[in-house]
């Protein structure tokens, strides 16, 4: 049976992919730095093999990738250390190529595009990042795609917009569900009145695995968009309707974000990427839809309902 390895498996996207692997009855390997966390999440799954690695150690990285048919790259870095993205994927690629791993899929973002030139944007949109984070993400992608072009490994990039879902952390919408469930206030960043895309995390796993099974998919990037577009303001109203009470909000403008960023470095990093709220990058995923013969997407309202119910249970 084919084995997929998930590098950086303990996040939200990793959970979606492993849920789909279990659904299909496929064996898989999860890889991370923290063995205790991996065993806590995956230790009881008979289909899962847990491996601890240090990507900076060639022997450790090669052992983590040995004997697998496909690698899914989900390795995260601190938001204020994006310079690590190209470093870590280079180390991983060297190990994967040395072990003869046939293919690698990188789950990426819209950051490498820079500002939107058209809406919605297809995959032929220029990659012209104007931010440091976008440049680092582009370098990360380029290393994988260059290895593909050289025939060393089949490389594919799947781009996602912002995401949300039950118990998903680090989402713009996380505090909306928490506030609706507890009666507190949702902390939001302005502007909140522009159309935005959000992908429902549980939908991602099936797409990743289906994309790996299409040899013609490699050598390029693909878009996976959410169910239509909606402003954060509209989403807050929908969640309030589902909760039968308005959701209280606290909206931080760019100026306030800069001030708070003087004391909270992670928030300071959001200033650079605020253009994605001011001028959202809306993706067209018709190419992926055509390749896979249709995309199964959870309707936005249903995804919000499931996320709210999960917040109430937490």
């Amino acid at each position: 049976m084919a084995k997929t390895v998930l590098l950086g498996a303990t996040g939200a996207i990793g959970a979606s992919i492993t849920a789909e692997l279990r659904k299909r009855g496929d064996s898989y390997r999860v890889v991370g730095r923290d063995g205790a966390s991996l065993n806590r999440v995956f230790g009881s799954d008979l289909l899962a093999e847990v491996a601890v690695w240090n990507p900076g150690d060639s022997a450790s990285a090669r052992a983590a990738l040995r004997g697998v048919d496909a690698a899914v790259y989900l390795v995260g870095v601190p938001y204020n250390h994006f310079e690590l993205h190209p470093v870590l994927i280079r180390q991983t690629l060297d190990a994967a190529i040395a072990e003869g791993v046939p293919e690698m899929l990188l789950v990426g973002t819209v950051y490498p595009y820079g500002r939107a030139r058209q809406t919605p944007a297809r995959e032929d949109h220029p990659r012209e990042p104007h931010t440091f984070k976008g440049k680092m993400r582009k370098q990360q992608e380029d290393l994988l795609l260059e290895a593909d072009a050289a025939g060393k490994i089949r490389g594919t990039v799947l781009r996602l917009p912002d995401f949300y879902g039950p118990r998903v952390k680090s989402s713009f919408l996380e505090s909306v569900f928490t506030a609706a469930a507890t009666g507190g206030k949702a902390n939001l960043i302005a502007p909140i009145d522009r159309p935005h895309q959000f992908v429902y995390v549980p939908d991602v796993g099936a797409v990743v695995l289906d994309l790996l099974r299409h040899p013609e998919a490699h050598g390029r990037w693909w878009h996976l968009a959410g169910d239509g577009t909606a402003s954060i303001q509209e989403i807050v109203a929908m969640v309030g309707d589902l909760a039968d009470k308005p959701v209280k909000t606290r909206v931080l403008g760019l100026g306030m974000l800069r001030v708070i960023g003087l004391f909270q470095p992670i928030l300071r990093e959001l200033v650079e990427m605020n253009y994605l709220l001011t001028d959202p990058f809306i993706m067209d995923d018709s190419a992926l839809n055509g390749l896979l013969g249709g995309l199964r997407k959870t309707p936005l309202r249903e995804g919000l309902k499931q996320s709210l119910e999960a917040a109430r249970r937490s």
Side-chain angles (χ1 to χ4, degrees), residues 68-88:
V68 301
D69 296 291
V72 179
Y73 191 90
L74 304 163
V75 179
V77 303
Y79 206 60
N80 55 340
H81 285 292
F82 261 48
E83 72 277 3
L84 295 175
H85 272 308
V87 173
L88 291 172

Side-chain angles (χ1 to χ4, degrees), residues 76-198:
V77 303
Y79 206 60
N80 55 340
H81 285 292
F82 261 48
E83 72 277 3
L84 295 175
H85 272 308
V87 173
L88 291 172
I89 200 167
R90 182 185 293 277
Q91 293 167 341
T92 306
L93 273 171
D94 288 346
I97 292 166
E99 288 298 322
V101 177
E103 62 181 319
M104 180 181 293
L105 184 146
L106 164 67
V107 176
T109 73
V110 301
Y111 289 13
Y113 283 132
R115 298 186 185 279
R117 290 190 179 185
Q118 65 243 15
T119 298
R122 299 186 306 269
E123 286 86 349
D124 58 0
H125 188 286
R127 291 186 304 153
E128 295 178 343
H130 61 286
T131 64
F132 175 75
K133 289 179 180 58
K135 292 173 183 176
M136 292 301 99
R137 280 292 205 173
K138 182 177 181 296
Q139 285 186 29
Q140 179 192 46
E141 292 180 358
D142 286 345
L143 288 166
L144 177 59
L145 295 173
E146 287 165 6
D148 175 275
K152 298 177 179 178
I153 193 170
R154 296 198 301 271
T156 309
V157 177
L158 176 64
R159 295 200 198 286
L160 304 181
D162 286 322
F163 50 80
Y164 77 102
R167 292 176 292 277
V168 171
K169 306 298 182 184
S170 303
S171 165
F172 277 122
L173 302 184
E174 178 189 2
S175 69
V176 176
F177 304 123
T178 302
T182 64
K185 280 190 176 183
N187 293 311
L188 305 173
I189 299 172
I192 63 172
D193 61 346
R194 314 294 164 83
H196 211 84
Q197 275 181 335
F198 287 97

Side-chain angles (χ1 to χ4, degrees), residues 2 34 44 53 58 61 75 89 103 111 117 138 150 165 167 175 192 204 210 215-216 248 268 281 284 290 295 301 305:
D34 187 344
S44 62
W53 78 333
S58 175
V75 179
I89 200 167
E103 62 181 319
Y111 289 13
R117 290 190 179 185
K138 182 177 181 296
R167 292 176 292 277
S175 69
I192 63 172
V204 176
D210 290 346
E216 67 273 31
K248 301 174 185 176
R268 182 170 64 240
F281 197 101
D284 177 339
L295 293 170
R301 189 175 179 85
K305 178 183 177 183

